[in-house]
């Protein structure tokens, strides 16, 4: 007989609760928490960042409270919000645990479920010292006189300030234990700043009482917040930087300022006035005029950077606002100073050098990929662009990033990523400081597992199924540091800033070592080669070299964010040298930012486009934006086709006519590929545009050969000839690497011998193939007639009657299937239409295709799956013949057409996508199945096109993980650089589509 579990066995033991102290069992017993009724409390305790610390603190509270413990015990059991705040607080901070124990009844403060506002905190702190508004000539809304100003004032203020800080920390941490709201970073920063403002207002009230004992305050004293406090993004434990402005700046004003700093530093936090003019060597208090004189004559660049965050804080707010109003115009003009950008960058490097090498990876504030990286980059961008853009006149880092993104100075994605990383790093900084209420920015050492585990729990980091909380935290720290460093390199060293600030090309010439370091930081795998390209581009004393020196820093930044910046820079050099005699080229790059950026994206992503652009340079002009959108999208397909036909028609010589058609095809390929790579065209638009160009070139070439023959013989053409598009050409769904599958059909003109007509037609078709297939630097033009009757053993051209006879008597199931995509594309339109009417009886037979034919198609499909895949190809990632690839989707659609097109006229359609729409509308398949097939076709086509754009040659096999795959992913529109994610998505999409294909072919 199995014994039922006892009631006590349901109570989790100390091991399950994560309690490691040997006394934990006894402590739980003493608290009367070792029972079923206490299970929710126990599990909540286990979620505290340091459960042992929390339990030990509770034991001390029980001892201190004595008979009042019952009230706390009852509250913990019944009020989950209070429980979350208390356990999270005493499990995260030994300092606040000690603070609670010192005055055990203060746990009652944690009952407050919301944060006090600024006015409530100010009133609370002023009440501690019985402060009243100051009277007299300099009275103001933030000037008070304390009535308790002796030594006891500091202890009273310290206690009340710590109570307010404790409430904020408890509300901030509560979500780690119970399901409580998470306080956003900006809310915490503003609350801490408002509390600091209130605290120093109270400190000033004590100073007024101590210094101005004999009567009202006789000076105007403004306290200006600087740094994080000025920006309202203060830490839990941080120096509060201030500057004092007084009228007059006499000994009384100096004593007031010094006394306020003394009280504030003893009671709350370190109050630091080192950012004042001349630093600690300068006068503590200055008049407004003295401040202005210093900043006009002596201030260094970093001092203007520091002034970005100045904010009137307390004291005489009117004087403080006068200070800000007078100084900010100087701040926004600082970027015009000589060597402004190098000074700021050099200061950032000096700050980094102050961090010991062994701490750089652990330092949240000053290390690599740290908070200061974000802050410096943002401040530099503000200073450079803020002189002409008032929207950047904000103080907080997050607010500034938002404004920079809104103004177009930072990409929205970059701003969002920097903001997310900045807030994550600030969260870790806050948690580290709360632990002991010490000013620290250093992560636990890598081998300090206990410290990292505590930090992970305090930061609400949870296991993800693959790693424990420490592993997840470590990965997040690395990821965010790398992201900050990459974006910092992109923004802080944004070379455009130098140009904007000085417009002096000479200053852009870096030393070779510095240039190599910078190029490497921007993502160049071979920075030495890149430096060689830069030297070639900027060499000499020509005007073009100087313009290149001005442009290149910005272009390098954009190239640095492409999949292959090294190849992109080489391509840019080739394009520049190829267009050396085109005076417009550099002017357009200089004056049209969109052109320059888009060109860099294209060159750093594609090996297909550089040669096209060198030979069709006018396309680069089309990278600009027009009144209604990108110029790349302005041409209409019918106009492009008409232009190709018109250009070819000007020449009697077919070679020259085809060359003219090729030239315009090259131009159009460059336009379409550029728009595609830049994300301006959807897959169907790309396919239709490429097909339209092919059709126009075929038409132009055919007409040119016929004209030349007629001119040479002096006789009219003996036959009409039409070109029937097959495969993806017939469906107007060509990709960059597609051949043109065609059939040539002729019809003898009245009175002409059929043999002569066919022979002439064959000579025309053969010449068209040779002209178009002639070697060229352009992407190839291969006209493939292999789908004709009897394949390559059959006649290249047949008469309409011969086609009709063949298909009626000899057509094999695969030929009938191929005819589903036959469509008139070039030559005699009337003949082409007659051909389509003839084959309609074959491809859409009355009563549908026979069961025997369906079986044969299934057999052929099985054989194709087994035998057609190239040796060594991966069937999961081959875009054409792989599982769920293009062939699978197209065969599935064609099988449904063969079976149902006789009764559904809308299926008389050569487009795979359009046929899928009909299949969905007519409910031949479930809408979900059609969606899977459509998604797979679009995904495979996009991937196949991206392969050609990246590699510069036709390819069907997706590469394995690596740089090439990442490039394909980016060009295919994947939202990040993770090629493995792209590949996983591709295989998931095609795998689901393959299941549909198998169901269709299995029924």
């Amino acid at each position: 007989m199995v014994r039922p579990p006892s009631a006590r066995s349901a109570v989790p033991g100390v091991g399950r609760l994560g309690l490691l102290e040997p006394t934990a069992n006894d402590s739980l017993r003493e608290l009367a928490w070792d029972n079923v009724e206490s299970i929710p409390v126990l599990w909540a305790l286990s979620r505290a960042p340091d459960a042992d610390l929390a339990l030990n603190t509770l034991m001390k509270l029980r001892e201190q409270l004595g008979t009042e413990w019952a009230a706390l015990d009852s509250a913990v059991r019944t009020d989950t919000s209070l429980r979350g705040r208390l356990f999270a607080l005493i499990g995260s901070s030994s300092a606040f645990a000690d603070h609670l124990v010192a005055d055990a009844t203060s746990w009652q403060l944690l009952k407050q479920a919301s944060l006090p506002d600024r006015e409530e905190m100010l009133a609370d702190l002023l009440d501690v010292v019985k402060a009243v508004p100051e009277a007299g000539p300099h009275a103001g809304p933030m000037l008070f006189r304390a009535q308790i100003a002796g030594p006891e004032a500091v202890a009273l203020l310290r206690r009340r300030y710590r109570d307010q800080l404790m409430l904020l920390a408890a509300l901030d941490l509560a979500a780690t234990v119970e399901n409580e709201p998470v306080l956003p970073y900006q809310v915490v920063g503003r609350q801490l700043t408002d509390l600091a403002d209130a605290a120093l207002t109270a400190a000033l009230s004590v100073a007024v009482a101590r210094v101005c004992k004999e009567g009202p305050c006789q000076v105007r004293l403004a306290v200006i917040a600087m740094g994080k406090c000025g920006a309202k993004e203060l830490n839990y434990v941080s120096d509060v930087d201030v500057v004092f402005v007084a009228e007059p700046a006499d000994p009384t004003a100096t004593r007031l300022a010094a006394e306020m700093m003394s009280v504030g530093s003893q009671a709350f936090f370190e109050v630091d006035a080192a950012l004042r003019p001349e630093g600690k060597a300068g006068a503590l208090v200055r008049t407004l005029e003295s401040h202005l004189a210093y900043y006009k004559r002596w201030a260094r660049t970093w001092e203007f950077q520091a002034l970005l965050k100045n904010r009137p804080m307390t004291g005489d707010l009117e004087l403080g606002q006068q200070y800000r109003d007078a100084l900010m115009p100087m701040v926004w003009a600082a970027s015009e100073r000589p060597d402004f950008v190098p000074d700021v960058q050099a200061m950032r490097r000096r700050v980094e050098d102050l961090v010991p090498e062994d701490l750089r990876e652990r330092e949240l504030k000053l290390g690599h990929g740290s908070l200061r990286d974000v802050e410096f980059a943002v401040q530099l961008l503000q200073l450079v662009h803020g002189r002409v853009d008032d929207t950047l006149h904000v103080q907080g880092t997050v607010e500034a990033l938002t404004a920079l993104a809104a103004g177009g100075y930072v990409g929205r994605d970059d701003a969002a990523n920097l903001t997310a990383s900045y807030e994550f790093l600030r969260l870790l900084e806050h948690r580290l400081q709360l632990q002991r209420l010490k000013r620290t920015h250093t992560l636990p050492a890598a081998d300090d597992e206990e410290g990292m585990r505590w930090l992970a729990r305090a930061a609400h980091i949870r296991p993800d199924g693959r790693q424990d909380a420490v592993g997840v935290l470590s990965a997040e720290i690395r990821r965010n540091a790398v992201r900050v460093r990459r974006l910092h390199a992109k923004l802080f060293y944004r070379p455009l800033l130098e140009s904007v600030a000085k417009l002096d090309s000479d200053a852009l010439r870096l030393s070779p070592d510095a240039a190599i370091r910078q190029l490497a930081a921007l993502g160049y795998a071979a920075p030495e080669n890149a430096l060689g390209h830069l030297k070639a581009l900027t060499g000499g004393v020509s005007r073009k070299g100087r313009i290149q020196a001005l442009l290149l820093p910005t272009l390098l930044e954009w190239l640095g964010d492409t999949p292959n910046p090294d190849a992109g820079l080489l391509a840019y050099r080739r394009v520049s040298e190829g267009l050396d005699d085109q005076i417009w080229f550099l002017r357009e790059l200089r004056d049209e930012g969109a052109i320059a950026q888009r060109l860099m994206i294209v060159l750093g992503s594609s090996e297909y486009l550089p040669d096209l652009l060198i030979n069709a340079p006018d396309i680069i002009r089309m990278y600009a934006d027009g009144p209604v959108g990108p110029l790349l999208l302005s041409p209409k397909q019918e106009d492009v086709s008409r232009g190709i036909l018109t250009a070819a028609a000007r020449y009697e010589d077919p070679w020259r006519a085809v060359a003219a058609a090729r030239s315009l095809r090259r131009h159009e390929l460059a336009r379409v590929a550029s728009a595609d790579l830049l994300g301006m065209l959807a897959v169907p638009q790309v396919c239709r545009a490429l097909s339209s160009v092919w059709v126009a070139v075929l038409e132009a070439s055919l007409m040119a050969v016929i004209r030349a023959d007629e001119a040479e013989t002096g006789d009219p053409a003996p036959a009409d000839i039409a070109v029937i598009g097959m495969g993806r050409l017939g469906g107007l769904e060509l990709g960059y690497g597609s051949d043109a599958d065609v059939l040539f059909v002729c019809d003898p003109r009245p009175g002409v011998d059929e043999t002569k007509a066919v022979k002439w037609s064959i000579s025309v078709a053969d010449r068209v193939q040779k002209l178009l297939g002639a070697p060229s630097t352009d992407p190839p033009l291969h006209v493939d007639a292999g789908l004709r009757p009897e394949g390559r053993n059959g006649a290249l051209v047949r008469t309409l009657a011969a086609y009709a006879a063949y298909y009626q008597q000899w057509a094999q199931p695969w030929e009938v299937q191929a005819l589903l995509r036959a469509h008139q594309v070039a030559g005699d339109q009337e003949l082409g239409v007659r051909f389509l009417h003839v084959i309609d009886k074959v491809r859409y037979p009355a009563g549908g295709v026979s069961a025997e034919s369906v079986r044969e198609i299934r057999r052929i499909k099985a054989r194709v799956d087994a035998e057609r895949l190239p040796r060594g190809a991966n069937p999961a990632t081959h875009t054409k013949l792989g599982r769920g690839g293009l062939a699978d989707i197209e065969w599935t659609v064609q099988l449904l057409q063969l079976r149902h097109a006789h009764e559904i006229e809308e299926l008389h359609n050569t487009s795979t996508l359009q046929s899928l729409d009909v299949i969905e509308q007519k409910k031949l398949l479930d809408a979900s199945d059609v969606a899977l097939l459509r998604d797979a076709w679009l995904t495979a086509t996009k991937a196949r096109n991206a392969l050609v754009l990246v590699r510069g040659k036709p390819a069907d096999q997706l590469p394995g993980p690596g740089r090439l795959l990442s490039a394909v992913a980016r060009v295919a529109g994947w939202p990040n650089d993770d090629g493995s994610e792209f590949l996983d998505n591709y295989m998931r999409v095609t795998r689901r589509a393959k299941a549909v294909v198998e169901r269709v072919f299995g029924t």
Side-chain angles (χ1 to χ4, degrees):
M1 179 177 175
V2 178
R3 296 176 56 191
S6 67
R8 189 168 180 80
S9 67
V11 179
V14 292
R16 291 177 65 194
L17 294 173
L19 294 166
L20 304 178
E21 290 288 340
T23 58
N25 259 325
D26 294 336
S27 296
L28 292 177
R29 190 178 305 111
E30 287 185 44
L31 293 174
W33 287 2
D34 59 339
N35 49 61
V36 172
E37 292 76 20
S38 303
I39 289 176
V41 175
L42 293 174
W43 285 123
L45 179 65
S46 75
R47 293 190 292 270
D50 185 340
D52 285 299
L53 173 62
L55 180 57
N56 289 338
T57 304
L58 287 164
M59 292 297 295
K60 294 176 183 177
L61 283 172
R62 178 175 177 274
E63 181 180 350
Q64 291 294 106
L65 288 169
T67 58
E68 296 180 32
W69 164 254
L72 176 54
D73 181 62
S74 175
V76 165
R77 292 175 183 276
T78 57
D79 187 343
T80 57
S81 295
L82 169 68
R83 185 165 71 212
R85 293 192 281 273
L86 175 63
F87 286 7
L89 181 74
I90 61 178
S92 297
S93 174
S94 59
F96 278 124
D98 293 341
H99 179 72
L100 268 175
V101 170
D103 180 6
T105 59
S106 62
W107 71 266
Q108 302 273 1
L109 296 172
L110 302 184
K111 290 181 177 180
Q112 187 169 331
S114 60
L115 292 170
D117 63 26
R118 179 185 175 88
E119 296 306 318
E120 289 173 328
M121 289 188 291
L122 178 61
D124 187 42
L125 284 164
L126 290 173
D127 182 65
V128 171
V129 290
K130 307 299 182 187
V132 296
E134 174 68 347
H138 302 310
M142 291 294 282
L143 188 63
F144 299 85
R145 177 183 292 268
Q147 297 183 65
I148 301 175
E152 72 276 16
V154 169
L156 291 169
L157 287 171
R158 182 189 301 120
R159 177 75 202 180
R160 189 59 56 89
Y161 174 81
R162 190 66 62 89
D163 284 345
Q164 291 283 2
L165 200 63
M166 179 180 72
L167 175 60
L168 171 59
L171 289 164
D172 189 12
L173 291 161
T176 64
V177 171
E178 296 289 2
N179 187 22
E180 291 295 300
V182 175
L183 290 185
Y185 153 74
Q186 288 177 282
V187 170
V188 175
R190 282 194 294 268
Q191 190 74 10
L192 287 165
T193 302
D194 289 344
L195 180 56
D197 287 2
L200 288 189
T201 301
L204 181 59
S205 76
V206 174
V208 169
R210 290 179 177 180
V211 175
C212 305
K213 298 178 181 178
E214 305 301 327
C217 182
Q218 296 300 312
V219 298
R220 300 175 67 192
L221 180 68
V223 184
I224 310 297
M226 305 285 281
K228 283 186 169 60
C229 189
K232 295 190 175 183
E233 50 189 16
L234 202 58
N235 290 331
Y236 276 100
V237 184
S238 176
D239 289 356
V240 171
D241 296 304
V242 297
V243 168
F244 296 101
V245 188
E247 298 291 349
D250 60 12
T252 298
T254 301
R255 287 178 58 207
L256 268 177
E259 194 66 35
M260 189 207 83
M261 289 178 63
S262 175
V263 173
S265 295
Q266 292 177 65
F268 315 122
F269 36 67
E270 188 69 25
V271 182
D272 190 349
L275 291 178
R276 65 186 184 267
E278 299 178 78
K280 293 183 178 179
L284 180 62
V285 175
R286 289 177 182 252
T287 63
L288 176 57
E289 183 180 355
S290 176
H291 275 285
L292 294 176
Y294 174 83
Y295 284 108
K296 286 177 181 176
R297 296 186 61 187
W298 307 109
R300 289 167 291 177
T301 299
W302 71 263
E303 293 178 278
F304 290 105
Q305 187 177 356
L307 282 170
L308 264 176
K309 296 182 182 295
N310 85 81
R311 175 180 62 85
M313 179 190 201
T314 191
D316 193 320
L317 295 182
E318 182 181 353
L319 179 59
Q321 191 59 46
Q322 291 171 3
Y323 170 91
R324 178 172 172 80
D325 291 344
L327 283 179
M328 289 314 291
M330 290 189 232
V331 172
W332 299 122
S335 62
E336 300 172 358
R337 294 161 59 92
D339 299 319
F340 165 74
V341 172
D343 273 359
V344 177
Q345 294 175 342
M347 183 174 69
R348 175 68 189 107
R349 288 192 291 273
R350 284 196 299 273
V351 169
E352 281 188 356
D353 291 338
L354 293 175
V355 181
E357 185 68 35
D358 60 330
L359 291 181
R360 287 184 183 176
E361 300 304 319
R362 295 170 52 200
E363 176 64 38
L364 290 172
K365 183 178 180 180
L366 304 175
H368 293 300
S370 66
L371 294 164
R372 192 55 58 89
D373 279 335
V374 181
E375 291 163 355
F376 264 61
V378 169
Q379 290 166 24
L380 182 57
L381 287 166
Q382 278 185 277
L383 288 171
V384 170
H385 297 294
R387 58 178 174 164
V388 294
D389 190 342
D390 292 348
T391 65
L392 301 183
H393 296 186
V394 296
Q395 292 157 314
T397 302
V398 172
E399 293 85 349
L401 272 169
T402 302
L404 287 164
Y409 306 108
V410 175
R412 293 187 184 277
D413 287 345
D414 290 345
N417 285 329
L418 268 180
T419 299
S421 290
Y422 184 73
E423 293 186 0
F424 173 74
L425 296 175
R426 289 299 300 271
L427 171 68
L428 297 185
E429 183 184 44
H430 283 178
R431 297 300 179 259
L432 289 166
Q433 292 179 347
L434 280 174
Q435 190 173 27
R436 294 181 180 84
L437 280 188
K438 298 291 184 184
R439 186 184 177 205
T440 181
H441 319 281
T442 306
L443 291 164
D447 58 355
D448 183 3
E449 284 196 21
E450 185 177 341
M452 286 296 286
R453 186 175 297 109
W454 167 84
L455 180 58
R457 291 166 67 89
H460 209 186
I461 302 292
R462 295 291 183 258
D464 63 0
R466 293 177 298 175
Q467 301 181 94
D468 62 9
V470 172
V472 173
L473 174 62
S474 300
E476 279 297 294
I477 291 170
R478 288 192 299 271
R479 186 177 70 84
N480 281 278
V482 168
R483 181 162 71 177
V484 167
R485 195 65 191 176
R486 180 177 64 82
L487 292 173
H488 172 263
K490 181 179 177 184
L491 299 178
F492 186 74
Y493 293 99
R494 183 172 182 154
L496 174 61
L497 302 181
E498 185 82 53
S499 306
V500 173
K502 295 182 59 177
L503 296 175
D504 179 358
S505 62
D506 290 336
L508 298 178
R509 298 181 184 275
L510 304 172
S511 70
D513 288 344
I516 288 171
R517 285 195 303 272
Q518 182 164 332
L519 287 165
L522 288 170
Y524 290 85
E528 295 85 358
N529 294 344
L531 186 60
H533 300 321
L534 297 183
K535 289 178 179 177
L537 286 163
T538 58
V541 294
S542 68
R543 182 170 181 271
K544 289 180 180 177
R546 291 196 299 273
I547 295 175
Q548 288 281 23
L550 183 67
L551 288 172
L552 272 166
T554 304
L555 304 185
L556 289 174
E557 178 196 332
W558 288 327
L559 275 175
D561 199 35
T562 64
N564 193 343
D566 297 84
L569 183 57
L570 171 60
Y572 176 66
R573 176 180 175 181
R574 290 178 54 224
V575 170
S576 295
E577 291 172 349
L579 302 180
D580 188 60
D581 59 343
Q582 304 289 324
I583 60 174
W584 59 266
F585 174 63
L586 291 179
R587 184 179 66 242
E588 292 283 3
L589 296 189
R590 182 192 64 198
D591 299 339
E592 291 284 348
I595 291 180
Q597 185 170 14
R598 287 167 178 166
L599 179 61
M600 294 307 105
I601 293 171
V602 164
L603 296 180
S605 305
S606 172
E607 292 186 25
Y608 180 84
L609 272 161
D611 286 331
L612 286 174
L613 292 175
I614 290 171
N615 293 314
D618 284 348
I619 289 298
I620 295 172
R621 296 177 187 261
M622 299 180 74
Y623 284 15
D625 289 318
V628 294
L631 293 178
L632 285 169
L633 303 182
S634 57
K636 297 180 179 178
Q637 288 178 13
E638 54 269 27
D639 294 336
V640 172
S641 298
R642 190 181 307 113
I644 291 174
L645 293 171
T646 302
R650 295 193 184 104
Y651 301 98
E652 294 182 2
D653 181 354
W655 283 100
R656 297 186 66 187
V658 170
R662 275 179 174 275
S663 175
L664 291 180
R665 171 184 180 261
R666 179 190 313 129
H667 185 280
E668 185 64 3
L669 283 180
R671 181 189 73 81
V672 172
S674 296
D676 182 14
L677 193 146
L678 293 167
M680 299 175 183
L681 291 174
V683 172
Q685 293 173 301
V686 173
C687 294
R688 185 162 288 274
L690 295 174
S691 302
S692 177
V693 174
W694 244 118
V695 167
V697 171
L698 271 173
E699 179 76 25
S701 303
L702 181 63
M703 294 302 101
V705 170
I706 293 174
R707 282 197 311 273
D709 183 82
E710 289 178 333
E712 185 179 329
T713 62
D715 296 323
D720 296 319
I721 187 168
V723 182
I724 307 299
M726 302 290 285
R728 303 196 84 189
L729 176 61
L732 297 181
E733 293 172 338
L734 286 178
Y736 296 106
S738 302
D739 293 335
D741 292 312
V742 300
L743 299 179
F744 292 101
V745 58
C746 71
D747 192 30
R749 290 183 175 172
V752 177
D753 179 68
E754 181 176 312
T755 302
K756 177 183 177 183
V758 170
K759 184 177 180 181
W760 173 85
S761 299
I762 290 173
S763 69
V764 168
D766 183 62
R767 196 171 183 191
V768 167
Q769 284 185 304
K770 288 179 179 177
L771 283 170
L772 291 177
S776 168
T777 57
D778 294 342
L781 280 159
H782 181 56
V783 179
D784 189 347
L787 292 176
R788 63 186 183 266
E790 302 178 56
R792 302 191 187 282
N793 295 322
L796 180 60
V797 185
R798 291 177 182 241
T799 64
L800 180 59
Y803 273 112
Y806 175 85
Y807 286 130
Q808 286 172 9
Q809 295 184 55
W810 307 109
Q812 300 296 308
W814 71 265
E815 291 178 298
V816 174
Q817 182 183 351
L819 289 174
L820 289 170
R821 307 197 77 184
H823 191 72
Q824 162 65 15
V825 294
D828 188 276
Q829 291 292 316
E830 189 270 337
L831 175 58
V833 172
R834 286 164 57 205
F835 176 86
L836 297 182
H837 285 315
V838 166
I839 65 169
D840 279 352
K841 299 173 184 177
V842 179
R843 57 182 175 175
Y844 311 129
V849 70
S850 69
E852 182 182 350
S853 293
V854 170
R855 284 194 297 272
E856 177 64 10
I857 289 171
R858 287 174 175 157
R859 186 191 67 78
I860 297 172
K861 176 69 169 66
R863 185 176 175 185
V864 167
D865 289 345
E867 300 177 6
R868 286 278 305 281
L869 200 67
R871 184 186 299 274
N874 183 345
T877 55
H878 195 276
T879 58
K880 182 177 181 181
L881 299 173
R883 293 191 291 268
L886 294 173
D888 267 349
I889 311 306
E890 289 163 0
W891 277 64
T892 302
V893 169
Q894 290 158 21
L895 179 59
L896 291 168
Q897 286 179 296
L898 289 169
R899 299 179 67 181
H900 300 283
H902 68 284
E903 56 188 1
I904 301 175
E905 189 171 345
E906 293 93 329
L907 284 177
H908 297 188
N909 194 317
T910 59
S911 164
T912 301
L913 284 179
Q914 292 174 15
S915 296
L916 278 171
D917 292 340
V918 176
I919 290 167
E920 182 176 4
Q921 291 163 11
K922 299 300 180 179
K923 299 183 179 179
L924 301 181
L925 289 178
D926 288 343
S928 58
D929 286 345
V930 174
L932 293 174
L933 294 175
R934 184 186 294 113
D935 192 15
W937 191 92
L938 291 170
T939 300
T941 300
K942 184 70 172 176
R944 192 182 189 212
N945 283 345
L947 271 169
V948 179
L949 290 176
V950 170
R951 299 185 62 184
K953 56 187 178 182
D956 296 312
Q957 178 67 62
L958 288 174
R963 191 165 188 170
L964 179 59
L965 178 63
S966 296
V968 171
R970 282 278 293 274
V971 173
W974 194 247
N976 58 45
D977 292 331
D978 194 333
S980 295
E981 281 187 13
F982 166 77
L983 198 61
D984 288 344
N985 178 71
Y986 177 90
M987 290 191 290
R988 181 168 55 252
V989 168
T990 52
R991 184 176 63 250
R992 291 171 178 171
K994 182 64 174 180
V996 179
V997 172
E998 289 174 343
R999 284 201 300 274
V1000 172
F1001 271 86
T1003 57

